[in-house]
Amino acid sequence: MELKELIQTSGEWLRGTGPEADIVISSRVRLARNLADFPFISRATPQDRVQVERILRNAIITSKVSADLLYVAVDELEGVDRQLLVERHLISREHAEGQGRRAVAIDKAEKFSLMINEEDHLRIQVMQSGFNLRSVWEQINAIDNAIEDKVTYAFHERLGYLTACPTNVGTGMRVSVMLHLPALVITRQIEKVFRSLQKISLAVRGLFGEGSQAMGDFYQISNQITLGRSEDELVQQVNDIVPVIIDYERQARQFLIKESQENLHDRVSRAYGILRTAQTISSEETMHLLSSVRMGVNLGLIPDLRIADINELFIHTQPAHLQKRTGGELGSADRNIERARYLRQYLSREDGANRAEKN
Amino acid sequence: MAAALAQQVQQMAIGQTAEELAHLDQQACPVCGITFYEFRSQGRLGCPHDYVAFQTQLEPLIMNVHGESEHVGKRPRRTPGSSEQRTQLIRMRREMKEAIENEHYERASELRDHIRRIETEQAS
């Protein structure tokens, strides 16, 4: 498997299937682990990094966590390829922009990725489409066990798994769900939801994680606390709160329909119209309009489109994906033209395909 | 997260005299050499032993962030064995680097042999 094959596909977490997939884009768990006999990344020499990378690469490959694994030396990649991996959520921004020897191992279905030499020596993440945290936790636990058979993790009797930042110590675990909450944004209730989440120490972030903005009405909700609770409890905490938020979002959607079905239908149809006809369009506007269209599809206002297609468009209209497809570096103005061209082509193709199916 | 941490560290500073703070800041980890001040400014620790070396400073910080001080989750099936020996490796690799920088090549090669011996023992 090669990196360029990625742009032909869209990865597990964009499939648009699984429980509550209209609102829950994906479920994700990540574990932070460090080798016991090396300094953390901030004090690691270039030789330390090379050794850590070699040890973990061997451990990952020999533990056979996947039959078809793509192993990428991130420090040897071009900027656009690193960005491509960020856009697909396979590596973090920090990993893309970091320095020194670092790598990522990705399974072919893009269900999981293992970052080496990010903030911690090893960051394992497993992602799945829809609301399915239990299953994600079971998968990542198995991967963690398989690797742990080959290496010795830094572990403290009382404090648990030791991490470079004390905010991750203990389980080293972050449980998160990516939610699409356009109706809560339109009805201006989203801030209220965030405040109540913060009170129970859950964090809210944008589409690309820490420090990123909530583009396209996507919000990532995750646990803040990692110590003093078991992994099951951490999964349960997020598991319990998600249905409540889903319910709020559904109520807000029903409210919008009841209040003015015409206004909502108009908003959605205009968004769809612009996406199908624009000649130049920014990433921000695309996300904004796709968000309306996505809600429209879920409410049956746009019958011809599938959720999986819209999920794909959210990622395939990002800068690195556009540039990989055209095969060259594009400035921002050219990207906007290319993005509009891609959207027109994709959406008219969808129309055609669906009409053909119906006939 | 790093910003939140910096805030926590600031809060922790309240109630301690400037002298006490300066003293705590200067403390260095004997294994990786990072000072508590360096950790405070970067928000990242230098090695696993820091949790032991800076226990006094980190405890209130950890309580602030997590509201708990004891891990109750998963444990590695194989425990690190002698963690003493593990951190020793980190310290010796650092000393070897310093020996080379200071052109103490004899000391550096002694350390290198010692490190290799421990690494082979662990691998077997």
Side-chain angles (χ1 to χ4, degrees), chain A residues 110-322:
Chain A
E110 293 179 57
K111 285 183 178 167
F112 61 85
S113 74
L114 301 105
M115 282 186 278
I116 298 175
N117 289 344
E118 201 237 25
E119 180 182 309
D120 294 291
H121 294 154
L122 181 65
R123 287 272 177 113
I124 314 171
Q125 71 159 357
V126 173
M127 297 183 284
Q128 202 169 311
S129 176
F131 184 33
N132 226 338
L133 286 170
R134 285 269 161 231
S135 140
V136 171
W137 158 240
E138 280 159 22
Q139 290 172 52
I140 202 167
N141 194 24
I143 295 174
D144 185 47
N145 287 341
I147 294 171
E148 187 217 296
D149 275 342
K150 314 277 176 188
V151 299
T152 306
Y153 287 148
F155 187 84
H156 185 281
E157 267 310 303
R158 189 168 54 81
L159 292 170
Y161 292 93
L162 301 179
T163 51
C165 183
T167 52
N168 293 317
V169 78
T171 54
M173 173 153 123
R174 188 86 60 223
V175 180
S176 64
V177 284
M178 180 79 72
L179 304 177
H180 186 225
L181 306 172
L184 286 175
V185 174
I186 296 171
T187 58
R188 298 174 198 275
Q189 297 179 83
I190 198 88
E191 288 296 327
K192 206 174 70 190
V193 173
F194 290 172
R195 279 196 301 274
S196 47
L197 288 174
Q198 272 148 13
K199 273 185 203 146
I200 53 169
S201 31
L202 291 175
V204 183
R205 300 192 176 89
L207 181 58
F208 291 102
E210 206 165 318
S212 71
Q213 279 210 320
M215 286 189 295
D217 306 320
F218 289 115
Y219 295 93
Q220 192 178 300
I221 291 166
S222 60
N223 62 305
Q224 196 98 260
I225 291 169
T226 56
L227 179 69
R229 296 187 196 175
S230 69
E231 288 81 0
D232 277 328
E233 287 170 317
L234 293 175
V235 167
Q236 196 55 44
Q237 192 197 10
V238 180
N239 241 349
D240 286 343
I241 203 71
V242 170
V244 179
I245 305 173
I246 291 175
D247 202 41
Y248 283 151
E249 170 67 19
R250 293 231 163 95
Q251 280 176 29
R253 289 180 185 190
Q254 285 315 308
F255 171 82
L256 289 174
I257 289 175
K258 221 175 101 197
E259 199 70 350
S260 174
Q261 159 100 30
E262 292 74 25
N263 277 348
L264 186 66
H265 201 165
D266 184 63
R267 182 190 194 111
V268 166
S269 305
R270 280 169 186 269
Y272 193 28
I274 294 173
L275 290 170
R276 280 192 300 179
T277 54
Q279 300 296 310
T280 166
I281 190 165
S282 71
S283 177
E284 205 183 329
E285 188 182 3
T286 304
M287 300 281 271
H288 181 67
L289 297 173
L290 280 172
S291 175
S292 287
V293 169
R294 192 176 190 281
M295 177 168 63
V297 172
N298 282 330
L299 293 174
L301 300 172
I302 301 178
D304 286 349
L305 222 47
R306 295 178 313 145
I307 282 298
D309 295 327
I310 305 173
N311 286 357
E312 186 171 300
L313 283 176
F314 272 109
I315 297 307
H316 284 206
T317 54
Q318 298 285 323
H321 275 79
L322 286 176

Side-chain angles (χ1 to χ4, degrees), chain A residues 31 33-48 51 94 119 137 140-142 144-171 174 203 205 210 223-231 233, chain B residues 1-5 8 29 31-35 38-39 42-52 55 58-59 61-63 65-81 83 85-91 93-94 96-98 100 115 118-119 122:
Chain A
L31 296 173
R33 299 288 187 250
N34 288 278
L35 298 181
D37 43 9
F38 286 90
F40 294 142
I41 295 300
S42 74
R43 296 293 285 187
T45 62
Q47 296 95 300
D48 287 333
Q51 270 187 284
E94 189 173 341
E119 180 182 309
W137 158 240
I140 202 167
N141 194 24
D144 185 47
N145 287 341
I147 294 171
E148 187 217 296
D149 275 342
K150 314 277 176 188
V151 299
T152 306
Y153 287 148
F155 187 84
H156 185 281
E157 267 310 303
R158 189 168 54 81
L159 292 170
Y161 292 93
L162 301 179
T163 51
C165 183
T167 52
N168 293 317
V169 78
T171 54
R174 188 86 60 223
R205 300 192 176 89
E210 206 165 318
N223 62 305
Q224 196 98 260
I225 291 169
T226 56
L227 179 69
R229 296 187 196 175
S230 69
E231 288 81 0
E233 287 170 317
Chain B
M1 194 63 73
L5 184 72
Q8 299 278 4
C29 169
V31 171
C32 71
I34 195 175
T35 63
E38 284 173 286
F39 160 67
Q42 318 167 345
R44 302 283 182 272
L45 293 164
C47 79
H49 189 72
D50 292 359
Y51 283 95
V52 178
Q55 196 192 345
L58 286 176
E59 206 122 282
L61 175 79
I62 286 172
M63 267 314 273
V65 174
H66 301 285
E68 298 278 348
S69 59
E70 271 182 53
H71 177 59
V72 293
K74 183 177 179 179
R75 292 172 169 269
R77 279 177 294 190
R78 298 184 311 149
T79 38
S83 62
Q85 206 180 39
R86 298 277 166 184
T87 51
Q88 213 185 346
L89 271 177
I90 301 177
R91 184 178 49 76
R93 286 199 203 96
R94 179 168 69 97
M96 182 173 77
K97 189 173 151 257
E98 282 165 5
I100 294 168
I115 291 167
I118 297 180
E119 280 176 344
Q122 281 177 359

